[in-house]
């Protein structure tokens, strides 16, 4: 009896894989999600300062002002000399992220020891570059003024020397973070899409009724979808991690991949159950897509991948403990970034086991009721 159930689950899962193989749209989505999407997230969505347009209004036309003007160059800035009457209009039009105004008699005031001010306007709507760029501009101006006046770029001396060491990402490279986090997010997203789409496709084609007249149970139908779609996502995630993250982007991954993918498997058990549950709640594929967006976007935003959970309100911190992505992000970052072992990440694994069992039971109950209603 038990062997027959295993055989039914295996054969039904093979049917799911064959149906997926004959769906070119889904195949393209899988390939794109774990190749182009990962590379784009790692390289295009950078938080560092890169090619920021800056307008420079030099009203002094002195040696010092020219030194400051020439200090802004690519790849950090794209300098553009302009006139004072166009500076504000250019920022209003979104042409400049920064606008630097060097006033008349600036060099004379600096050499005379008088208070000299330089105006820097920052377009704060461009948050990814505004704060970083403002700090860069301040450092550049201070360095140039110090070297011109004191013939030394050292701005000030501190009684305490600060030694900063960036661990786990010593170069502070955005690619290290963006590429791995994209894989983590795509595992949850793709598993929900594939499982839910498979169930809705069967319902639209009328094959669910055919399954119910066969000697198979609702549990066997669900398990077949869970293992087949989880296998596809695991293979795609492994391929993306090896080919895109490690080979193309040259991001070192020092953690135990076997432990990471075991955590991914537990997460997939929960997210595929979510996909089945959402599919039973939906009457069509567009409705399923809308429901998935309402669930998936908050899960990814509040799981700790974009913003540390410690920075969120306490209510959200406790509420997101029920989300599998919260614990997957926690264990994935610990394993892949910090080479953590099972002795450190075991609480996350325990949470995932409980959440996966709960989600599977709720989805099984809902699927069973839906099938009985249909029959």
């Amino acid at each position: 009896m038990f062997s027959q159930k295993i055989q039914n689950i295996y054969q039904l899962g093979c049917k799911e894989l064959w149906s997926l193989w004959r769906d070119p749209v889904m195949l393209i989505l899988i390939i794109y999600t774990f190749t182009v999407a990962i590379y784009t997230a790692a390289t295009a969505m950078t938080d560092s300062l890169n090619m920021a347009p800056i307008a420079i209004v030099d009203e002094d036309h002195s040696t010092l002002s020219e030194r400051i003007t020439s200090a802004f160059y690519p790849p950090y800035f794209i300098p553009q000399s302009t006139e004072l009457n166009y500076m504000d209009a250019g920022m209003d039009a979104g042409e400049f992220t920064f606008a630097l105004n060097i006033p008349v008699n600036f060099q004379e005031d600096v050499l005379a020891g008088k208070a000299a001010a330089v105006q820097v306007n920052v377009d704060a709507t461009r948050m990814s570059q505004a704060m970083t760029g403002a700090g860069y501009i301040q450092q550049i101006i201070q360095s140039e003024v110090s070297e011109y006046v004191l013939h030394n770029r050292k701005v000030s001396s501190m009684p305490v020397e600060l030694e900063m060491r960036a661990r786990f990402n010593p170069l502070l490279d955005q690619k290290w973070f963006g590429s791995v986090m994209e894989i983590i997010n795509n595992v949850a997203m793709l598993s929900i899409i594939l499982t839910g789409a498979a169930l809705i496709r069967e319902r639209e084609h009328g094959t669910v009724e055919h399954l119910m007249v066969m000697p198979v149970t609702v549990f066997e139908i669900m398990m077949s979808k869970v293992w087949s779609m989880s296998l596809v996502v695991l293979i795609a995630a492994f391929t993306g991690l090896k080919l895109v993250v490690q080979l193309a982007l040259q991001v070192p991954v020092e953690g135990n991949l076997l432990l990471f993918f075991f955590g991914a498997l537990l997460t997939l058990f929960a997210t595929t159950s979510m996909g089945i549950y959402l599919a039973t709640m939906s009457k069509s594929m567009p409705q399923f897509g809308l429901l998935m967006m309402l669930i998936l976007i908050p899960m990814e935003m509040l799981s700790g991948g974009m913003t540390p959970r410690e920075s969120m309100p306490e209510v959200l911190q406790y509420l997101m403990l029920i989300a599998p992505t919260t614990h997957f992000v926690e264990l994935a970052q610990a394993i892949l970034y910090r080479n953590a072992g099972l002795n450190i990440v075991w609480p996350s694994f325990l949470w995932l086991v409980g959440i996966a069992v709960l989600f599977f039971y709720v989805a099984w109950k809902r699927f069973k009721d839906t099938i009985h209603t249909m029959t």
Side-chain angles (χ1 to χ4, degrees):
M1 185 66 179
F2 180 75
S3 60
Q4 183 62 44
K5 287 183 175 292
I6 296 297
Q7 186 177 2
N8 290 341
I9 293 173
Y10 171 74
Q11 291 178 348
L12 289 173
C14 292
K15 177 189 72 68
E16 297 292 340
L17 294 176
W18 180 247
S19 299
L20 180 62
W21 178 255
R22 298 179 62 181
D23 191 338
V25 176
M26 285 297 177
L27 291 178
I28 294 175
L29 175 64
I30 295 171
I31 296 173
Y32 170 83
T33 300
F34 285 98
T35 54
V36 179
I38 295 175
Y39 190 87
T40 303
T43 57
M45 300 173 63
T46 177
D47 292 332
S48 59
L49 190 66
N50 184 50
M51 307 300 285
I54 178 171
I56 301 177
V57 179
D58 186 2
E59 297 183 288
D60 193 31
H61 299 290
S62 61
T63 303
L64 179 56
S65 64
E66 291 178 359
R67 287 174 63 100
I68 294 175
T69 302
S70 62
F72 296 93
Y73 49 81
Y76 298 110
F77 297 96
I78 302 178
Q80 179 179 340
S81 298
T82 185
E83 299 298 329
L84 182 62
N85 55 3
Y86 184 72
M87 181 180 69
D88 291 337
M91 292 204 71
D92 292 341
E95 298 180 12
F96 313 124
T97 304
F98 307 98
L100 176 65
N101 182 16
I102 304 176
V104 179
N105 299 326
F106 173 70
Q107 176 179 296
E108 181 179 340
D109 292 339
V110 169
L111 294 177
K114 300 179 180 179
V118 176
Q119 182 182 10
V120 180
N121 297 325
V122 181
D123 184 356
T125 60
R126 304 180 180 183
M127 288 297 299
S128 61
Q129 293 187 336
M131 297 303 297
T132 304
Y136 277 39
I137 293 173
Q138 182 179 8
Q139 293 179 8
I140 289 173
I141 294 175
Q142 288 179 344
S143 297
E144 293 299 329
V145 172
S146 178
E147 184 180 30
Y148 183 77
V149 176
L150 305 176
H151 304 288
N152 188 343
R153 282 185 175 268
K154 188 176 182 181
V155 178
S156 62
S157 59
M158 297 178 62
V160 178
E161 184 178 359
L162 180 64
E163 289 286 347
M164 187 185 73
R165 297 176 181 176
R167 299 187 62 189
F168 315 119
N169 188 358
L171 299 179
L172 300 179
D173 192 346
Q174 169 66 18
K175 293 187 297 184
W176 289 31
F177 177 80
S179 58
V180 175
M181 285 308 305
E182 188 69 10
I183 287 184
I184 295 173
N185 291 332
N186 289 346
V187 165
M189 178 189 71
L190 196 62
S191 59
I192 295 176
I193 292 176
L194 293 180
T195 313
L199 182 56
I200 292 178
R201 182 170 56 240
E202 284 190 338
R203 191 166 58 194
E204 291 177 346
H205 294 170
T207 55
V208 175
E209 291 82 355
H210 296 167
L211 290 175
M212 295 315 301
V213 300
M214 297 174 62
V216 293
T217 63
V218 174
F219 175 82
E220 293 170 1
I221 297 174
M222 280 189 60
M223 283 302 300
S224 66
K225 297 182 184 301
V226 169
W227 83 257
S228 57
M229 297 301 104
S230 297
L231 178 63
V232 172
V233 175
L234 285 177
I235 294 175
F238 179 80
T239 304
L241 186 64
K242 286 294 183 181
L243 296 182
V244 181
V245 176
Q246 293 185 290
L247 184 61
L249 296 173
Q250 296 294 311
V251 177
V253 176
E254 303 294 339
N256 189 334
L257 293 183
L258 184 62
L259 190 61
F260 165 72
F261 282 107
F262 180 65
L265 182 61
L266 294 178
T267 305
L268 287 168
F269 193 78
T271 53
T272 49
S273 300
M274 291 177 60
I276 294 174
Y277 183 84
L278 293 177
T280 59
M281 297 285 292
S282 309
K283 296 182 180 180
S284 62
M285 194 69 76
Q287 192 177 49
F288 170 74
L290 292 175
L291 284 175
M292 188 194 68
M293 290 175 60
L294 291 175
I295 300 297
L296 185 63
I297 293 178
M299 281 177 53
E300 292 188 354
M301 293 181 62
L302 304 176
S303 61
M306 297 182 180
T307 304
R309 294 183 62 246
E310 294 78 8
S311 303
M312 302 178 188
E314 289 189 7
V315 176
L316 288 179
Q317 294 184 37
Y318 290 116
L319 180 63
M320 289 304 295
L321 288 176
I322 195 63
T325 51
T326 299
H327 308 285
F328 184 44
V329 167
E330 185 176 354
L331 71 87
Q333 290 182 343
I335 294 171
L336 298 181
Y337 292 154
R338 302 187 290 273
N339 196 16
L342 185 60
N343 60 322
I344 295 178
V345 298
W346 68 265
S348 298
F349 279 88
L350 195 60
W351 270 99
L352 283 175
V353 170
I355 293 173
V357 172
L358 175 63
F359 281 18
F360 184 85
Y361 174 77
V362 172
W364 170 79
K365 187 70 174 175
R366 171 69 186 179
F367 190 27
K368 185 178 180 180
D369 295 341
T370 304
I371 291 296
H372 289 166
T373 302
M374 293 173 58
T375 55

